C-alpha cells in the first residue's frame, strides 16, 4: 500500500502540475479519513463512479454508490470486470483497467450518456440492491452452509456466460425470462441475422420461412417487432416486406413506426454537404478492383468484399483516410467500411428510443426484450440493453469479443429462436385461457 500511495502521489502531482489553472485543478486528491456523511455526499453528487480494481472479491463501494444515487438525473457506475460485484451489476458500464484507451472511451461514454439511459440503468441497479439486501445474503450464506439448495435464492445470481446456443438451450434460458404477463419486444438486425450475408446487399434476401414466422409473430397482440439495420430505412423495409412493425435504418438515424410516422435524427448542417464530397472522392480514388460505394443518404458504405485479398488492406486504408479526413466516423462491417456523421446516436440509443416510444417511459417494467445482431454496430445495442434484455450475437467464432449474453452460430439458429418464441407464446396463451 505504501508503494502504491507513493506512485499515486507522484501521478496526481504530475497531472495537476501540467493541467491546473488558477481557478481549477483536474484532480482533488483526498487521502485520509472521510466521515460517513461526507462520503455519502460524494456518492450522491458524483456524475460518475469509477470503480476499477485489478482484483476484488466483491467491492462494496459500487453498491454504496448505487444506494446513494437519489438525484435526478442519477450518476453512472463504471465497474471493473475483475470485481465480484460485476457479475450481478449488469447495468454498470464495464471497464477493463488494463485497457487504457478502452477505459478512456468508457469514461467519455459515461460523462455524455443521455439522461433517460442514466435513469434506466440506475433504476435497475437500485432495484436489484433492494432485493438482494443484507438479509438476502445472510440467508444465502446460511443455506449454503447447510447445503440446502433453494431455487428462490439462486435465481439470477450467476455470472453472465457466453456459450454457444442450440435449440435445446432456448427453453432453459428464455422460458423463465418470458413470463406469463409481460409483452415481448423483438429487436433484430437484418444482414447476417435474419438474412444470410450475400456478395451484394441486393442479394441478401429474407428466407421465406423466416418471413412467415415473423409475420405470424407480428400479428400476436403481445409481440412488438423492430428491425434495426445499417441499410437505409426504405431499403430494409422493402427487403423485409412486413407491415405494422418498426423499421430503423442507418443504424437508427432513420426510424419508421408502425403507424407510418417517421423519425430522422438531425445531422449537423456542415456535414450534409460533405456526404457528396466523400462519395465523389471514394468513387474517384478507391472504387476499383471490385470495390464500390453504397449511398444510403445519411451514411455511405465502402464495400470491398469482391476485391482480391492482396489489395483489400490497401484500398480499405485509403477509404478510411478519406472518410476520417472529412470528419466522419469509421464503422467497420463485414468487408465494408461505413462513413457515419459525428452524432451521438447508434443502435443502442435508437433501441431505447424505439422502446420508449412504443411502451412509454416505464417500458423496462413491463416489457421483455430479445435483441439479436451479428455486427460490431450491434454491440452498441447490446451494451445499452445490458441487464435489461436477452441479447444474442450471431457468430460462429468463440474468439469474437461481445457484450451479448449468448451466441448463435448462424441465421438458421435465429430462425430456430423465432420458432421457439412463437411456440412458447402460443403455449402461454393456452395456459392463460
Amino acid at each position: 500500500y505504501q508503494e502504491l500511495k507513493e506512485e499515486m502521489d507522484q501521478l496526481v502531482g504530475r497531472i495537476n502540475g501540467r493541467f491546473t489553472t488558477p481557478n481549477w485543478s483536474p484532480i482533488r486528491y483526498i487521502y485520509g479519513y472521510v466521515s460517513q456523511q461526507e462520503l455519502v455526499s460524494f456518492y450522491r453528487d458524483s456524475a460518475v463512479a469509477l470503480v476499477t480494481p485489478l482484483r476484488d472479491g466483491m467491492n462494496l463501494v459500487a453498491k454504496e454508490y448505487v444506494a446513494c444515487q437519489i438525484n435526478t438525473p442519477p450518476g453512472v457506475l463504471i465497474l471493473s470486470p475483475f470485481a465480484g460485484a460485476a457479475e450481478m451489476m449488469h447495468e454498470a458500464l464495464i471497464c477493463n483497467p488494463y485497457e487504457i484507451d478502452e477505459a478512456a472511451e468508457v469514461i467519455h461514454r459515461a460523462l455524455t450518456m443521455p439522461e433517460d439511459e442514466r435513469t434506466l440503468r440506475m433504476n435497475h441497479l437500485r432495484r436489484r440492491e433492494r432485493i438482494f439486501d443484507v438479509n438476502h445474503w445472510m440467508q444465502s450464506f446460511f443455506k449454503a452452509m447447510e447445503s440446502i439448495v433453494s431455487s428462490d435464492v439462486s435465481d439470477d445470481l450467476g455470472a453472465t456466460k457466453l456459450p454457444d446456443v442450440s435449440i435445446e438451450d432456448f427453453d432453459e434460458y428464455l422460458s423463465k425470462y418470458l413470463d406469463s404477463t409481460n409483452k415481448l419486444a423483438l429487436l433484430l438486425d437484418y444482414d447476417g441475422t435474419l438474412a444470410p450475408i450475400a456478395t451484394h446487399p441486393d442479394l441478401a434476401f429474407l428466407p421465406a420461412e423466416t418471413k412467415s414466422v415473423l409475420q405470424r409473430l407480428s400479428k400476436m397482440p403481445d409481440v412488438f417487432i423492430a428491425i434495426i439495420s445499417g441499410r437505409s430505412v426504405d431499403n430494409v423495409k422493402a427487403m423485409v416486406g412486413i407491415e405494422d412493425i418498426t423499421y430503423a435504418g442507418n443504424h437508427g438515424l432513420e426510424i419508421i413506426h408502425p403507424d407510418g410516422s417517421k423519425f430522422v435524427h438531425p445531422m449537423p448542417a456542415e456535414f450534409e454537404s460533405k456526404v457528396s464530397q466523400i462519395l465523389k472522392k471514394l468513387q474517384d480514388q478507391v472504387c476499383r478492383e471490385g470495390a464500390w460505394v453504397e449511398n444510403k443518404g445519411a451514411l455511405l458504405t465502402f464495400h470491398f468484399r469482391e476485391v482480391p485479398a492482396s489489395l483489400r488492406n490497401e484500398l480499405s486504408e485509403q477509404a478510411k483516410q478519406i472518410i476520417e479526413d472529412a470528419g466522419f466516423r469509421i464503422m467497420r462491417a463485414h468487408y465494408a467500411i461505413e462513413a457515419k456523421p459525428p452524432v451521438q446516436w447508434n443502435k443502442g440509443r435508437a433501441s431505447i428510443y424505439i422502446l420508449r416510444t412504443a411502451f412509454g417511459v416505464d417500458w423496462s417494467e413491463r416489457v421483455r426484450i430479445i435483441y439479436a445482431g451479428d455486427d460490431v454496430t450491434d454491440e452498441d445495442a447490446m451494451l445499452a440493453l445490458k441487464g435489461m434484455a436477452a441479447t444474442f450475437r450471431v457468430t460462429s467464432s468463440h474468439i469474437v469479443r461481445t457484450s451479448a449474453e449468448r451466441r448463435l452460430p448462424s441465421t438458421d439458429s435465429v430462425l430456430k429462436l423465432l420458432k421457439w418464441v412463437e411456440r412458447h407464446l402460443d403455449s402461454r396463451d393456452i395456459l392463460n385461457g
Side-chain angles (χ1 to χ4, degrees):
Y1 276 109
Q2 184 60 35
E3 292 178 358
L4 183 60
K5 180 185 181 301
E6 291 176 1
E7 183 180 350
M8 285 292 297
D9 291 344
Q10 294 171 9
L11 185 59
V12 170
R14 287 199 299 270
I15 294 172
N16 280 345
R18 180 178 176 183
F19 296 104
T20 293
T21 67
N23 299 320
W24 176 78
S25 182
I27 300 177
R28 183 183 177 191
Y29 185 36
I30 301 174
Y31 182 80
Y33 173 76
V34 177
S35 70
Q36 188 170 14
Q37 185 173 359
E38 287 179 297
L39 180 61
V40 167
S41 298
F42 284 138
Y43 282 149
R44 181 196 62 199
D45 295 336
S46 296
V48 176
L50 183 65
V51 186
T52 52
L54 302 181
R55 183 186 302 172
D56 202 339
M58 172 58 76
N59 192 284
L60 290 175
V61 170
K63 295 178 176 290
E64 291 168 357
Y65 176 72
V66 167
C68 294
Q69 282 299 300
I70 60 174
N71 287 347
T72 301
V76 179
L77 173 63
I78 300 176
L79 192 57
S80 164
F82 308 117
E87 294 187 358
M88 286 187 63
M89 305 181 82
H90 306 303
E91 296 80 15
L93 299 184
I94 302 301
C95 172
N96 186 339
Y98 291 103
E99 301 287 345
I100 304 302
D101 291 339
E102 178 185 320
E105 291 177 4
V106 172
I107 293 171
H108 179 263
R109 182 182 174 207
L111 290 170
T112 59
M113 184 177 291
E115 180 177 335
D116 58 345
E117 186 177 348
R118 283 173 171 263
T119 302
L120 189 63
R121 289 178 178 276
M122 191 54 66
N123 285 348
H124 276 267
L125 286 167
R126 286 178 58 82
R127 187 181 306 113
R128 185 179 293 109
E129 295 311 313
R130 283 195 294 267
I131 294 172
F132 300 126
D133 60 7
V134 64
N135 293 320
H136 162 82
W137 290 113
M138 180 180 67
Q139 293 171 12
S140 300
F141 293 148
F142 282 146
K143 288 187 177 183
M145 291 168 64
E146 296 169 2
S147 298
I148 296 176
V149 178
S150 169
S151 60
D152 291 335
V153 174
S154 63
D155 235 336
D156 297 325
L157 296 185
T160 299
K161 305 291 184 182
L162 293 175
D164 285 334
V165 177
S166 65
I167 188 66
E168 289 77 18
D169 294 317
F170 293 136
D171 190 65
E172 177 185 353
Y173 177 58
L174 290 175
S175 59
K176 186 183 295 184
Y177 178 65
L178 301 181
D179 59 24
S180 60
T181 58
N182 291 91
K183 292 182 177 295
L184 171 64
L186 289 170
L187 308 183
L188 307 167
D189 181 34
Y190 183 77
D191 293 278
T193 302
L194 293 175
I197 295 291
T199 56
H200 191 284
D202 292 345
L203 302 177
F205 297 113
L206 183 65
E209 190 175 7
T210 303
K211 182 173 182 177
S212 295
V213 177
L214 283 172
Q215 284 179 319
R216 293 195 296 271
L217 286 170
S218 71
K219 292 178 170 57
M220 291 185 173
D222 289 337
V223 177
F224 172 87
I225 298 176
I227 311 299
I228 306 176
S229 172
R231 293 169 176 260
S232 71
V233 70
D234 292 327
N235 180 263
V236 71
K237 183 177 181 181
M239 295 299 286
V240 176
I242 298 175
E243 297 298 326
D244 301 322
I245 67 174
T246 294
Y247 292 95
N250 287 329
H251 307 289
L253 290 173
E254 304 172 299
I255 299 171
I256 297 178
H257 298 288
D259 62 2
S261 60
K262 192 171 184 179
F263 164 86
V264 178
H265 191 280
M267 185 191 298
E270 65 269 24
F271 288 100
E272 291 184 1
S273 60
K274 287 188 177 182
V275 173
S276 58
Q277 297 173 16
I278 298 173
L279 176 62
K280 187 175 188 310
K281 283 187 176 181
L282 289 173
Q283 289 174 333
D284 291 345
Q285 298 180 30
V286 293
C287 286
R288 62 181 189 273
E289 304 293 342
W292 62 286
V293 182
E294 181 183 4
N295 186 351
K296 299 189 286 189
L299 299 181
L300 297 173
T301 302
F302 174 70
H303 295 272
F304 55 93
R305 179 181 294 274
E306 297 302 305
V307 173
S310 60
L311 297 175
R312 284 175 183 168
N313 187 61
E314 176 188 344
L315 289 181
S316 64
E317 286 301 314
Q318 290 179 27
K320 177 183 174 184
Q321 193 63 51
I322 291 171
I323 294 167
E324 289 181 336
D325 287 347
F328 277 55
R329 291 178 179 171
I330 292 291
M331 294 193 300
R332 295 198 175 272
H334 297 290
Y335 295 104
I337 296 175
E338 294 189 303
K340 179 185 176 184
V343 295
Q344 296 296 322
W345 196 258
N346 53 41
K347 285 188 177 182
R349 295 190 175 180
S351 296
I352 291 176
Y353 167 83
I354 289 168
L355 291 165
R356 186 176 67 241
T357 302
F359 300 104
V361 294
D362 62 339
W363 61 267
S364 62
E365 307 287 339
R366 302 182 289 109
V367 183
R368 294 289 183 263
I369 304 147
I370 294 176
Y371 188 99
D374 76 309
D375 205 290
V376 65
T377 59
D378 294 298
E379 294 292 327
D380 293 321
M382 293 164 186
L383 277 171
L385 297 171
K386 197 172 185 66
M388 296 173 278
T391 52
F392 296 90
R393 176 73 183 263
V394 183
T395 175
S396 58
S397 171
H398 294 270
I399 301 173
V400 171
R401 292 179 61 183
T402 180
S403 298
E405 293 179 340
R406 302 289 175 105
R407 299 172 192 254
L408 295 173
S410 65
T411 55
D412 288 338
S413 297
V414 177
L415 174 58
K416 293 176 184 177
L417 168 63
L418 296 176
K419 287 182 174 180
W420 182 92
V421 169
E422 181 184 24
R423 186 169 65 242
H424 177 80
L425 294 180
D426 281 338
S427 62
R428 190 179 77 172
D429 291 341
I430 292 172
L431 289 174
N432 291 340

